[in-house]
Amino acid sequence: MRFNILQIPYMTKASEFPEGIRDGELRGANSERFQTMLNAMTEQVQFAEELGYHGVAWTEQHFQAEGVEVNTNPILYGAHMIANTTRMKVGQLGIPLPCHNPLLVAENLAILDHMSGGRTFAGFSRSNTPRYASVLGQHLGIGAASSDKSESDERNRRALQESFQIIKKAWTEDQFCYSGEFWQVPPADVPWEFPPTIDAGRGTKDGVLSQISVVPKPLQSPHPPIYSPFAFSMTTARFWAAEGASLVSFVDKEDFLRTTLDVYRDEATKAEQTIPTGGGLAIGGHLLVQKSRERSNAYATEFERLFNYAYDVPPYNVPLGRKLQGTGDDALRTIEHLNKALGIEEIFLWHHVNCFDDGREMEALEEFGNKVVARLGD
């Protein structure tokens, strides 16, 4: 099995919420706090590599002045971790495509793939955060995904799907053009009389740019493995199944996960896609194990307090989902059950960094690593 850490880095300690942040300080703007957080992230990734974890990934958030989940650039975090590790995979879970230029995303991920020697995976999402989605997506009239099938929500979905088609072309075709609802690649009537292009005889017609080539192509062929976080939308499941990407779900209801697997396999088969190991579904869980159940219960109580304060509230309203709680042996039994009942082969572990005191973050990595990764990991 493969065990990946989903790092959730904080510049504000859990103990500072909510009373401590009412002093008006924008902790997310404090450079010293960022350095402390980055050092903790690096130390924990290196420790996880020693323990045999497969990979590490980050979400993407912007403008997090409160110091909550400071994942401004998962690609740059990945480049930093590549330079500080030798084996672990690095990726994203995921890049909110409606808020980005897909050509730049394709370039940056391909470069990351080369810099890592092929140690990358790519993750894409829709974004459920109005603050940054509305700011960064304004040039396309894009807002946050709401999963309510409103016109705004459907526009967000169409933007993601179109961006992914462009990225796929950019990675797999020497030169290409694309005409869609949101992007024209290249735009019409761009004059281009560059002698090397003319001599190559490709990419221009009658002095006008006709195609482009995104360089470099990824090191992995045809491209890095693709992942997408998944909550409950079967429309999302079907789209990514048809593209051969893996879903990542933190839902803890096995009947729903079994249904998702059935939908995924049906759609992947129709699209003649090879189903990834584990049926195209990876399971997510909050890493709350400790060396004793008493310590784990105390850790979980503080974690849930923070989660109910910063996640299961507007605008997110994200339910808690699966908890991996107790000792490493308890977590081992849970993982073995998921493997047997659903054929799950990959786990993403939501893990806060620089958030909780008393060494509990490192203890969680160590206990799970020694009891689960050491026994079941690839």
Side-chain angles (χ1 to χ4, degrees):
M1 297 186 70
R2 300 187 299 275
F3 297 95
N4 307 294
I5 301 163
L6 179 59
Q7 273 200 335
I8 310 295
Y10 267 56
M11 292 174 67
T12 302
K13 297 290 187 181
S15 57
E16 295 180 278
F17 295 110
E19 291 82 3
I21 65 168
R22 290 173 179 159
D23 57 11
E25 177 190 352
L26 294 179
R27 285 160 170 77
N30 186 306
S31 295
E32 291 183 4
R33 282 181 177 260
F34 187 87
Q35 280 292 307
T36 298
M37 181 192 76
L38 185 61
N39 289 338
M41 292 169 64
T42 308
E43 180 183 11
Q44 291 193 24
V45 167
Q46 291 173 329
F47 185 51
E49 181 173 66
E50 292 174 8
L51 290 166
Y53 287 83
H54 177 78
V56 59
W58 300 270
T59 64
E60 182 172 325
Q61 299 287 339
H62 297 271
F63 319 134
Q64 298 292 84
E66 304 83 7
V68 175
E69 198 165 338
V70 187
N71 278 328
T72 306
N73 193 318
I75 296 178
L76 281 180
Y77 282 167
H80 174 74
M81 294 307 175
I82 285 166
N84 285 278
T85 58
T86 60
R87 179 191 56 79
M88 284 185 75
K89 307 288 187 180
V90 298
Q92 317 84 38
L93 204 64
I95 298 170
L97 288 185
C99 302
H100 287 284
N101 183 315
L103 298 169
L104 296 181
V105 172
E107 287 178 341
N108 291 338
L109 287 175
I111 291 172
L112 184 67
D113 198 35
H114 280 272
M115 291 172 65
S116 70
R119 285 197 281 142
T120 62
F121 57 90
F124 302 124
S125 66
R126 296 177 62 202
S127 171
N128 63 348
T129 307
R131 177 165 59 183
Y132 81 73
S134 297
V135 174
L136 298 181
Q138 61 182 294
H139 61 297
L140 299 178
I142 298 296
S146 55
S147 298
D148 61 0
K149 299 190 181 298
S150 63
E151 171 52 30
S152 174
D153 182 61
E154 291 301 308
R155 184 176 177 83
N156 179 290
R157 184 183 300 280
R158 294 195 305 273
L160 174 136
Q161 294 175 350
E162 183 171 307
S163 288
F164 182 71
Q165 298 306 320
I166 292 171
I167 290 171
K168 190 166 60 172
K169 281 179 168 289
W171 281 346
T172 59
E173 298 182 18
D174 285 348
Q175 288 193 321
F176 73 99
C177 58
Y178 183 91
S179 179
E181 178 181 358
F182 302 98
W183 296 97
Q184 303 296 315
V185 182
D189 302 325
V190 176
W192 191 250
E193 298 180 348
F194 187 45
T197 305
I198 295 171
D199 289 343
R202 300 178 64 185
T204 185
K205 183 177 181 180
D206 300 327
V208 174
L209 189 66
S210 59
Q211 290 187 314
I212 66 162
S213 179
V214 168
V215 295
K217 305 305 179 189
L219 179 60
Q220 297 177 77
S221 180
H223 52 68
I226 306 296
Y227 293 80
S228 179
F230 166 75
F232 57 82
S233 170
M234 290 302 165
T235 301
T236 296
R238 291 186 178 95
F239 173 76
W240 288 117
E243 297 294 347
S246 293
L247 304 172
V248 182
S249 176
F250 283 80
V251 174
D252 58 357
K253 297 177 174 58
E254 287 189 23
D255 288 345
F256 175 77
L257 295 175
R258 196 168 285 108
T259 298
T260 301
L261 281 166
D262 290 341
V263 169
Y264 183 100
R265 287 166 180 152
D266 287 347
E267 196 68 25
T269 300
K270 290 177 186 176
E272 299 183 343
Q273 285 285 358
T274 300
I275 298 175
T277 301
L281 178 65
I283 294 297
H286 301 292
L287 182 59
L288 302 172
V289 299
Q290 298 282 273
K291 292 181 179 178
S292 71
R293 290 177 179 172
E294 292 75 18
R295 284 182 60 79
S296 178
N297 290 340
Y299 189 18
T301 296
E302 189 170 356
F303 172 82
E304 289 184 40
R305 181 183 71 85
L306 175 61
F307 197 92
N308 292 333
Y309 176 71
Y311 294 92
D312 196 7
V313 291
Y316 304 107
N317 300 308
V318 175
L320 183 61
R322 186 180 304 280
K323 294 186 295 181
L324 294 170
Q325 190 173 336
T327 66
D329 290 326
D330 294 324
L332 176 63
R333 285 188 285 272
T334 298
I335 301 301
E336 288 178 328
H337 169 75
L338 290 170
N339 175 259
K340 183 177 180 180
L342 300 172
I344 299 302
E345 292 286 344
E346 189 161 21
I347 307 292
F348 280 82
L349 302 159
W350 176 298
H351 179 61
H352 280 68
V353 178
N354 193 49
C355 183
F356 296 99
D357 300 314
D358 303 327
R360 284 175 288 183
E361 295 168 0
M362 294 291 271
E363 183 175 331
L365 289 172
E366 183 177 23
E367 178 71 2
F368 191 91
N370 287 336
K371 299 292 181 63
V372 182
V373 178
R375 179 163 179 175
L376 302 179
D378 288 349

